[in-house]
Amino acid sequence: MRYNLIRKMDISNGPGVRVSIFMQGCAFHCKNCFNPETWDFNGGKEEFTDDTIKEVLELCEPEHIKGLSILGGEPMHPNNIEGTTKLAKAFKERYPNKTLWIWSGFLFDKDLKDKEVLKYVDTLVDGQYVDELHDFKLKWRGSSNQRVIDVQESLKQGKIITLE
Ligand code: SF4
């Protein structure tokens, strides 16, 4: 598994100032994807390793960093989900009071609800980007089919609870 980019300070992917990491590889190939350079599973910057996790966790340490955002590419693709889960777990264990947001083209109810990774996620923005449903006014998502899901509340209540 590889990753594309780490941003030390990101103010556009989730609330507050955050660290973000873009995983490499996505098989969905949505029309007019915002990030097509992340499609190739062999592309990106370098291998995602334990050192990558260490680096991300250290970047999350300062008080002004409100949380971590994991995007792509596709963090939940079978090729990437193990590394995403490892990072998510390590982040939540070290920073229980900071938030973890993940963006995925897979769906919470159809594909993800039984995956271990969701135990560590505060907010999941799910669904592939649909260009015909694009709307600039939407917050945190590109098209209106996508959902901004409160993961822990949704798991507790057994139904999807959205934030937006
Ligand atoms: S799921 Fe995301 S990264 Fe993958 S093609 Fe669609 S918009 Fe691009």
Side-chain angles (χ1 to χ4, degrees), residues 25-125:
C26 181
F28 287 127
H29 297 187
C30 307
K31 182 176 140 196
N32 286 332
C33 163
F34 72 111
N35 215 358
E37 65 276 13
T38 62
W39 289 0
D40 179 1
F41 285 89
N42 297 312
K45 186 173 181 231
E46 58 191 12
E47 267 315 290
F48 179 90
T49 65
D50 286 347
D51 283 343
T52 319
I53 293 177
K54 198 164 159 244
E55 180 187 346
V56 170
L57 294 185
E58 277 166 17
L59 290 171
C60 291
E61 177 93 52
E63 181 78 30
H64 67 274
I65 297 293
K66 297 301 172 213
L68 172 66
S69 296
I70 306 178
L71 309 96
E74 178 49 69
M76 305 300 202
H77 184 277
N79 202 54
N80 294 342
I81 194 165
E82 194 182 324
T84 298
T85 304
K86 214 169 163 190
L87 174 60
K89 183 171 192 276
F91 171 79
K92 259 305 163 186
E93 280 173 4
R94 180 143 157 199
Y95 303 113
N97 298 322
K98 300 194 185 208
T99 59
L100 177 61
W101 282 51
I102 297 187
W103 278 254
S104 173
F106 290 104
L107 297 175
F108 177 95
D109 33 348
K110 188 167 158 274
D111 309 304
L112 299 175
K113 70 177 189 323
D114 299 323
K115 304 283 186 202
E116 184 200 341
V117 64
L118 289 194
K119 282 203 286 187
Y120 316 116
V121 181
D122 294 285
T123 305
L124 173 77
V125 182

Side-chain angles (χ1 to χ4, degrees), residues 124-157:
L124 173 77
V125 182
D126 83 341
Q128 293 173 47
Y129 171 67
V130 178
D131 203 40
E132 290 71 20
L133 299 176
H134 175 73
D135 184 346
F136 276 115
K137 295 190 292 293
L138 296 169
K139 215 170 166 189
W140 318 130
R141 54 199 172 126
S143 57
S144 58
N145 61 299
Q146 295 171 312
R147 305 173 292 187
V148 184
I149 297 172
D150 180 333
V151 173
Q152 296 313 313
E153 206 48 42
S154 298
L155 289 175
K156 205 186 302 169
Q157 294 193 31

